[in-house]
Structure formats: C-alpha cells, structure tokens
Amino acid sequence: MLVILKRDDEEISRQAAQLIAGTVQRNPDLRLGLATGGTMIGVYKELVRLHKQGTLDFSRVVTFNLDEYLGLSATHPQSFHHFMREHFFAHVNIAASNIHIPDGTIRSNYDQYCAGYEEAIHKAGGIDLQLLGIGRNGHIGFNEPTSSIGSRTRLKVLSKETLDDNSKFFAPGEESPRCAITMGIGTILEARKVLLLATGAAKAAAVAKSIEGPVASAVSASSLQLHSDVTFIIDDAAASQLTQRDYYRRVMEMTALLTPERLS
Ligand code: F6R
C-alpha cells in the first residue's frame, strides 16, 4: 500500500489525474473503474484539461462506474449518470458504447441485473485501474459497514450516515434514495490497481482505520489491505489521525527515487 500525502484537494486532483493519464497513455485500451462524489470533481476537471490540451485520448478506454442510486433516472440531477456526464463524459472522447453505469431505474430481477454488470466487467477483461473515494463510515462504492469482503455487485441498503450525508443534495421535501446498486468489495478487490482519494477532516477517522486498523467488515475500505497494488492519495486534514505519517513520507521519497513509475 502506497500512501501519498498531499497538502490539499488541488494537489490531490493533479497527482491522481497524472497517475490516471499516465496509465491511459501506456494502455490506450484501459478498463477504468470510476467513482462519483465531491472528491472526484477536481480529478475529472484535470483529466478534461489534459484531454483538451491534446495529451490524453480516451477513444479506446472502457469505463465502469462503481454505483448508482436505485430509483433515479439518468437525467435526475443527483443521479451518478448525470454527475458523470456533467463532470467528465460530456467533455472527453469516451465512446458512449464504452461507458457502463449501473441502471438505477430497474424495478425487478435485481440479482440478474447485477450478475449482468459483473459479466460485462468480466467480458471486458476486468478492471485495470479502479478509482475510489471513501465515506465517513469507511464505505467504498456503497459498500456500507458490515458488507462482506467477498461481496459482488448487488442491491445495497444505504446506512443512516450515508443518508444524512446525501440528503443535503436533494431538494427540500424530496426523499433521497434509500438503496443503491454497487459493485461489491470482492469486485473492487479484483481490479488490477486501486487508487483511493480522500480529503478533509471528516474522513480522517475512516482513513486511519482503513490504512492502520485491522481488516474488518465494519470499515469496508480496510479490505484494501488485502490488495497488492493500492495507492491512497490523501490531504493533510484526512491524514491527521494516521500515526505513521513520517514513514509514509520516507516511503514516498524512496519510491520517487527507485520506482518513479508507480507515481505516474
Ligand atoms: C461514489 C462512491 C462513494 C463516494 C464516497 C465519498 O461513486 O462510490 O463511495 O466515493 O461517498 O464521497 P465524497 O467524495 O462526496 O465525500
């Protein structure tokens, strides 16, 4: 696990976009797992900037988003379909047929639908690089606390903490979704490389438990300790409860010196 400490959101976005861009340049057919949420906005902005500059071509990239709210259509302003279009897809050259986001409008046969999403990932050759944020409760995707480490794409009931965090984005009186379709932790752990971003003091406890705590279903992101190629990029506020910050800085210095390809 590589822990990259950055000052703020801007530095994180730049570093993450550089890493994603480098990976796309080395493998134009990259199968890229994507996330939504406030933490990702700066990363997508930077990727769009690199694309417009002419240095980044997404024409052969295939994408799979982690999750979508159940009950929201692709045009709902709070849907993840809408988020992805607004912040990323409308501004780059990813072929529409290469974009995969779980369908929040399905009304039945959930297990069958979710098995089909897993199958699509499998048929594409698996995810090469998965981008993740983290919830205050340690969720990745919508794998809420107590999710099984072996879980696959499925319907998931959202926790009280997640509902509270999300309700502010919905219009007054509008009920926010109570369920989502999300890739499972087992699905995420099969990605060849994982990149998790976290900013802000509200994430500090979850980040510390994920990196330095025991692997536990109570903190879904701690399961990433079982993966062989995970990079956390976190800002000072989100890193504030880590006890080994000096060590992570020294590892970073040596990584830059000995294996700089891990950072680009
Ligand atoms: C979004 C997702 C979530 C978010 C997490 C952090 O696709 O899967 O796990 O990454 O809730 O969200 P922000 O960045 O808004 O704090």
PDB file of all heavy atoms in Angstrom, residues 34-40 65-67 80 132-135 139-142 169 203, ligand 1:
ATOM      1  N   LEU A  34     -14.661   3.910 -12.303  1.00  0.00           N
ATOM      2  CA  LEU A  34     -14.834   5.314 -11.917  1.00  0.00           C
ATOM      3  C   LEU A  34     -15.734   5.478 -10.705  1.00  0.00           C
ATOM      4  O   LEU A  34     -16.606   4.645 -10.441  1.00  0.00           O
ATOM      5  CB  LEU A  34     -15.403   6.105 -13.097  1.00  0.00           C
ATOM      6  CG  LEU A  34     -14.498   6.174 -14.328  1.00  0.00           C
ATOM      7  CD1 LEU A  34     -15.229   6.828 -15.498  1.00  0.00           C
ATOM      8  CD2 LEU A  34     -13.206   6.927 -14.020  1.00  0.00           C
ATOM      9  N   ALA A  35     -15.529   6.577 -10.009  1.00  0.00           N
ATOM     10  CA  ALA A  35     -16.327   6.913  -8.823  1.00  0.00           C
ATOM     11  C   ALA A  35     -16.930   8.296  -9.008  1.00  0.00           C
ATOM     12  O   ALA A  35     -16.474   9.079  -9.852  1.00  0.00           O
ATOM     13  CB  ALA A  35     -15.432   6.892  -7.589  1.00  0.00           C
ATOM     14  N   THR A  36     -17.941   8.609  -8.207  1.00  0.00           N
ATOM     15  CA  THR A  36     -18.529   9.954  -8.208  1.00  0.00           C
ATOM     16  C   THR A  36     -18.266  10.584  -6.840  1.00  0.00           C
ATOM     17  O   THR A  36     -17.534  10.033  -6.032  1.00  0.00           O
ATOM     18  CB  THR A  36     -20.041   9.876  -8.480  1.00  0.00           C
ATOM     19  OG1 THR A  36     -20.628   9.053  -7.464  1.00  0.00           O
ATOM     20  CG2 THR A  36     -20.329   9.298  -9.846  1.00  0.00           C
ATOM     21  N   GLY A  37     -18.856  11.746  -6.590  1.00  0.00           N
ATOM     22  CA  GLY A  37     -18.708  12.402  -5.286  1.00  0.00           C
ATOM     23  C   GLY A  37     -17.824  13.626  -5.370  1.00  0.00           C
ATOM     24  O   GLY A  37     -17.059  13.799  -6.337  1.00  0.00           O
ATOM     25  N   GLY A  38     -17.927  14.459  -4.359  1.00  0.00           N
ATOM     26  CA  GLY A  38     -17.215  15.735  -4.341  1.00  0.00           C
ATOM     27  C   GLY A  38     -15.715  15.587  -4.533  1.00  0.00           C
ATOM     28  O   GLY A  38     -15.076  16.410  -5.203  1.00  0.00           O
ATOM     29  N   THR A  39     -15.128  14.539  -3.951  1.00  0.00           N
ATOM     30  CA  THR A  39     -13.676  14.352  -4.031  1.00  0.00           C
ATOM     31  C   THR A  39     -13.207  14.183  -5.477  1.00  0.00           C
ATOM     32  O   THR A  39     -12.065  14.513  -5.798  1.00  0.00           O
ATOM     33  CB  THR A  39     -13.266  13.103  -3.207  1.00  0.00           C
ATOM     34  OG1 THR A  39     -14.000  13.090  -1.989  1.00  0.00           O
ATOM     35  CG2 THR A  39     -11.787  13.072  -2.927  1.00  0.00           C
ATOM     36  N   MET A  40     -14.084  13.676  -6.333  1.00  0.00           N
ATOM     37  CA  MET A  40     -13.674  13.353  -7.710  1.00  0.00           C
ATOM     38  C   MET A  40     -13.744  14.551  -8.664  1.00  0.00           C
ATOM     39  O   MET A  40     -13.170  14.499  -9.752  1.00  0.00           O
ATOM     40  CB  MET A  40     -14.554  12.234  -8.292  1.00  0.00           C
ATOM     41  CG  MET A  40     -14.486  10.946  -7.525  1.00  0.00           C
ATOM     42  SD  MET A  40     -12.791  10.316  -7.488  1.00  0.00           S
ATOM     43  CE  MET A  40     -12.767   9.582  -5.856  1.00  0.00           C
ATOM     44  N   ASN A  65     -18.614   2.444 -13.879  1.00  0.00           N
ATOM     45  CA  ASN A  65     -18.818   3.167 -12.619  1.00  0.00           C
ATOM     46  C   ASN A  65     -19.166   2.205 -11.489  1.00  0.00           C
ATOM     47  O   ASN A  65     -19.747   1.152 -11.706  1.00  0.00           O
ATOM     48  CB  ASN A  65     -19.925   4.217 -12.780  1.00  0.00           C
ATOM     49  CG  ASN A  65     -19.343   5.570 -13.115  1.00  0.00           C
ATOM     50  OD1 ASN A  65     -18.975   5.806 -14.256  1.00  0.00           O
ATOM     51  ND2 ASN A  65     -19.225   6.443 -12.126  1.00  0.00           N
ATOM     52  N   LEU A  66     -18.792   2.642 -10.292  1.00  0.00           N
ATOM     53  CA  LEU A  66     -18.999   1.812  -9.109  1.00  0.00           C
ATOM     54  C   LEU A  66     -20.462   1.592  -8.763  1.00  0.00           C
ATOM     55  O   LEU A  66     -20.835   0.504  -8.329  1.00  0.00           O
ATOM     56  CB  LEU A  66     -18.401   2.532  -7.890  1.00  0.00           C
ATOM     57  CG  LEU A  66     -16.911   2.505  -7.674  1.00  0.00           C
ATOM     58  CD1 LEU A  66     -16.540   3.532  -6.609  1.00  0.00           C
ATOM     59  CD2 LEU A  66     -16.489   1.113  -7.216  1.00  0.00           C
ATOM     60  N   ASP A  67     -21.270   2.674  -8.914  1.00  0.00           N
ATOM     61  CA  ASP A  67     -22.589   2.595  -8.286  1.00  0.00           C
ATOM     62  C   ASP A  67     -23.582   3.597  -8.870  1.00  0.00           C
ATOM     63  O   ASP A  67     -23.202   4.509  -9.617  1.00  0.00           O
ATOM     64  CB  ASP A  67     -22.456   2.803  -6.762  1.00  0.00           C
ATOM     65  CG  ASP A  67     -21.498   3.943  -6.391  1.00  0.00           C
ATOM     66  OD1 ASP A  67     -21.155   4.755  -7.270  1.00  0.00           O
ATOM     67  OD2 ASP A  67     -21.092   4.023  -5.222  1.00  0.00           O
ATOM     68  N   PHE A  80     -25.910   9.485 -10.515  1.00  0.00           N
ATOM     69  CA  PHE A  80     -24.484   9.396 -10.849  1.00  0.00           C
ATOM     70  C   PHE A  80     -24.279   9.437 -12.365  1.00  0.00           C
ATOM     71  O   PHE A  80     -23.217   9.851 -12.836  1.00  0.00           O
ATOM     72  CB  PHE A  80     -23.864   8.146 -10.206  1.00  0.00           C
ATOM     73  CG  PHE A  80     -23.774   8.232  -8.701  1.00  0.00           C
ATOM     74  CD1 PHE A  80     -23.517   7.102  -7.939  1.00  0.00           C
ATOM     75  CD2 PHE A  80     -23.924   9.447  -8.033  1.00  0.00           C
ATOM     76  CE1 PHE A  80     -23.417   7.170  -6.553  1.00  0.00           C
ATOM     77  CE2 PHE A  80     -23.827   9.534  -6.651  1.00  0.00           C
ATOM     78  CZ  PHE A  80     -23.571   8.388  -5.906  1.00  0.00           C
ATOM     79  N   LEU A 132     -11.406   5.275  -6.378  1.00  0.00           N
ATOM     80  CA  LEU A 132     -12.340   5.212  -5.241  1.00  0.00           C
ATOM     81  C   LEU A 132     -12.292   6.484  -4.410  1.00  0.00           C
ATOM     82  O   LEU A 132     -11.226   7.072  -4.232  1.00  0.00           O
ATOM     83  CB  LEU A 132     -11.959   4.070  -4.282  1.00  0.00           C
ATOM     84  CG  LEU A 132     -12.002   2.619  -4.741  1.00  0.00           C
ATOM     85  CD1 LEU A 132     -11.482   1.731  -3.614  1.00  0.00           C
ATOM     86  CD2 LEU A 132     -13.410   2.217  -5.139  1.00  0.00           C
ATOM     87  N   GLY A 133     -13.456   6.868  -3.857  1.00  0.00           N
ATOM     88  CA  GLY A 133     -13.497   7.802  -2.741  1.00  0.00           C
ATOM     89  C   GLY A 133     -13.748   6.967  -1.494  1.00  0.00           C
ATOM     90  O   GLY A 133     -13.731   5.736  -1.539  1.00  0.00           O
ATOM     91  N   ILE A 134     -13.980   7.638  -0.381  1.00  0.00           N
ATOM     92  CA  ILE A 134     -14.287   6.904   0.856  1.00  0.00           C
ATOM     93  C   ILE A 134     -15.336   7.696   1.637  1.00  0.00           C
ATOM     94  O   ILE A 134     -15.282   8.930   1.688  1.00  0.00           O
ATOM     95  CB  ILE A 134     -12.988   6.671   1.689  1.00  0.00           C
ATOM     96  CG1 ILE A 134     -13.274   5.854   2.962  1.00  0.00           C
ATOM     97  CG2 ILE A 134     -12.300   7.989   2.039  1.00  0.00           C
ATOM     98  CD1 ILE A 134     -12.001   5.403   3.707  1.00  0.00           C
ATOM     99  N   GLY A 135     -16.283   6.980   2.202  1.00  0.00           N
ATOM    100  CA  GLY A 135     -17.305   7.659   3.021  1.00  0.00           C
ATOM    101  C   GLY A 135     -16.785   7.887   4.433  1.00  0.00           C
ATOM    102  O   GLY A 135     -15.796   7.278   4.855  1.00  0.00           O
ATOM    103  N   HIS A 139     -17.068   3.542   3.867  1.00  0.00           N
ATOM    104  CA  HIS A 139     -17.572   2.804   2.692  1.00  0.00           C
ATOM    105  C   HIS A 139     -16.747   3.117   1.438  1.00  0.00           C
ATOM    106  O   HIS A 139     -16.195   4.205   1.294  1.00  0.00           O
ATOM    107  CB  HIS A 139     -19.078   3.031   2.466  1.00  0.00           C
ATOM    108  CG  HIS A 139     -19.479   4.363   1.914  1.00  0.00           C
ATOM    109  ND1 HIS A 139     -20.723   4.916   2.126  1.00  0.00           N
ATOM    110  CD2 HIS A 139     -18.826   5.272   1.139  1.00  0.00           C
ATOM    111  CE1 HIS A 139     -20.805   6.067   1.502  1.00  0.00           C
ATOM    112  NE2 HIS A 139     -19.678   6.315   0.900  1.00  0.00           N
ATOM    113  N   ILE A 140     -16.664   2.124   0.566  1.00  0.00           N
ATOM    114  CA  ILE A 140     -16.112   2.308  -0.785  1.00  0.00           C
ATOM    115  C   ILE A 140     -17.195   1.825  -1.732  1.00  0.00           C
ATOM    116  O   ILE A 140     -17.842   0.819  -1.467  1.00  0.00           O
ATOM    117  CB  ILE A 140     -14.768   1.547  -0.997  1.00  0.00           C
ATOM    118  CG1 ILE A 140     -14.833   0.105  -0.474  1.00  0.00           C
ATOM    119  CG2 ILE A 140     -13.622   2.309  -0.375  1.00  0.00           C
ATOM    120  CD1 ILE A 140     -13.570  -0.719  -0.728  1.00  0.00           C
ATOM    121  N   GLY A 141     -17.413   2.543  -2.845  1.00  0.00           N
ATOM    122  CA  GLY A 141     -18.669   2.339  -3.561  1.00  0.00           C
ATOM    123  C   GLY A 141     -19.756   2.610  -2.529  1.00  0.00           C
ATOM    124  O   GLY A 141     -19.618   3.484  -1.676  1.00  0.00           O
ATOM    125  N   PHE A 142     -20.829   1.832  -2.568  1.00  0.00           N
ATOM    126  CA  PHE A 142     -21.823   1.933  -1.491  1.00  0.00           C
ATOM    127  C   PHE A 142     -21.774   0.684  -0.623  1.00  0.00           C
ATOM    128  O   PHE A 142     -22.789   0.199  -0.144  1.00  0.00           O
ATOM    129  CB  PHE A 142     -23.221   2.199  -2.050  1.00  0.00           C
ATOM    130  CG  PHE A 142     -23.500   3.668  -2.253  1.00  0.00           C
ATOM    131  CD1 PHE A 142     -24.069   4.124  -3.437  1.00  0.00           C
ATOM    132  CD2 PHE A 142     -23.203   4.597  -1.271  1.00  0.00           C
ATOM    133  CE1 PHE A 142     -24.335   5.472  -3.630  1.00  0.00           C
ATOM    134  CE2 PHE A 142     -23.461   5.952  -1.453  1.00  0.00           C
ATOM    135  CZ  PHE A 142     -24.028   6.388  -2.636  1.00  0.00           C
ATOM    136  N   PHE A 169     -28.121  17.141  -0.677  1.00  0.00           N
ATOM    137  CA  PHE A 169     -28.048  17.369  -2.123  1.00  0.00           C
ATOM    138  C   PHE A 169     -29.423  17.296  -2.801  1.00  0.00           C
ATOM    139  O   PHE A 169     -29.553  17.613  -3.975  1.00  0.00           O
ATOM    140  CB  PHE A 169     -27.121  16.341  -2.780  1.00  0.00           C
ATOM    141  CG  PHE A 169     -25.702  16.438  -2.279  1.00  0.00           C
ATOM    142  CD1 PHE A 169     -25.134  15.412  -1.540  1.00  0.00           C
ATOM    143  CD2 PHE A 169     -24.943  17.571  -2.538  1.00  0.00           C
ATOM    144  CE1 PHE A 169     -23.828  15.500  -1.067  1.00  0.00           C
ATOM    145  CE2 PHE A 169     -23.635  17.677  -2.066  1.00  0.00           C
ATOM    146  CZ  PHE A 169     -23.082  16.641  -1.329  1.00  0.00           C
ATOM    147  N   LYS A 203     -13.029  12.802   7.005  1.00  0.00           N
ATOM    148  CA  LYS A 203     -12.626  11.457   6.542  1.00  0.00           C
ATOM    149  C   LYS A 203     -11.461  10.891   7.369  1.00  0.00           C
ATOM    150  O   LYS A 203     -11.046   9.750   7.138  1.00  0.00           O
ATOM    151  CB  LYS A 203     -12.206  11.505   5.067  1.00  0.00           C
ATOM    152  CG  LYS A 203     -13.247  12.083   4.109  1.00  0.00           C
ATOM    153  CD  LYS A 203     -14.385  11.120   3.889  1.00  0.00           C
ATOM    154  CE  LYS A 203     -15.478  11.698   3.012  1.00  0.00           C
ATOM    155  NZ  LYS A 203     -15.104  11.876   1.625  1.00  0.00           N
TER     156      LYS A 203
HETATM  157  C1  F6R B   1     -19.350   7.342  -5.262  1.00  0.00           C
HETATM  158  C2  F6R B   1     -18.998   6.404  -4.207  1.00  0.00           C
HETATM  159  C3  F6R B   1     -18.801   6.817  -2.783  1.00  0.00           C
HETATM  160  C4  F6R B   1     -18.020   8.113  -2.614  1.00  0.00           C
HETATM  161  C5  F6R B   1     -17.871   8.460  -1.145  1.00  0.00           C
HETATM  162  C6  F6R B   1     -17.170   9.799  -0.932  1.00  0.00           C
HETATM  163  O1  F6R B   1     -19.410   6.715  -6.528  1.00  0.00           O
HETATM  164  O2  F6R B   1     -18.890   5.274  -4.523  1.00  0.00           O
HETATM  165  O3  F6R B   1     -18.144   5.771  -2.107  1.00  0.00           O
HETATM  166  O4  F6R B   1     -16.758   7.987  -3.205  1.00  0.00           O
HETATM  167  O5  F6R B   1     -19.129   8.513  -0.534  1.00  0.00           O
HETATM  168  O6  F6R B   1     -17.951  10.809  -1.444  1.00  0.00           O
HETATM  169  P1  F6R B   1     -17.425  12.325  -1.404  1.00  0.00           P
HETATM  170  O7  F6R B   1     -16.270  12.405  -2.313  1.00  0.00           O
HETATM  171  O8  F6R B   1     -18.598  13.128  -1.904  1.00  0.00           O
HETATM  172  O9  F6R B   1     -17.081  12.622   0.016  1.00  0.00           O
END
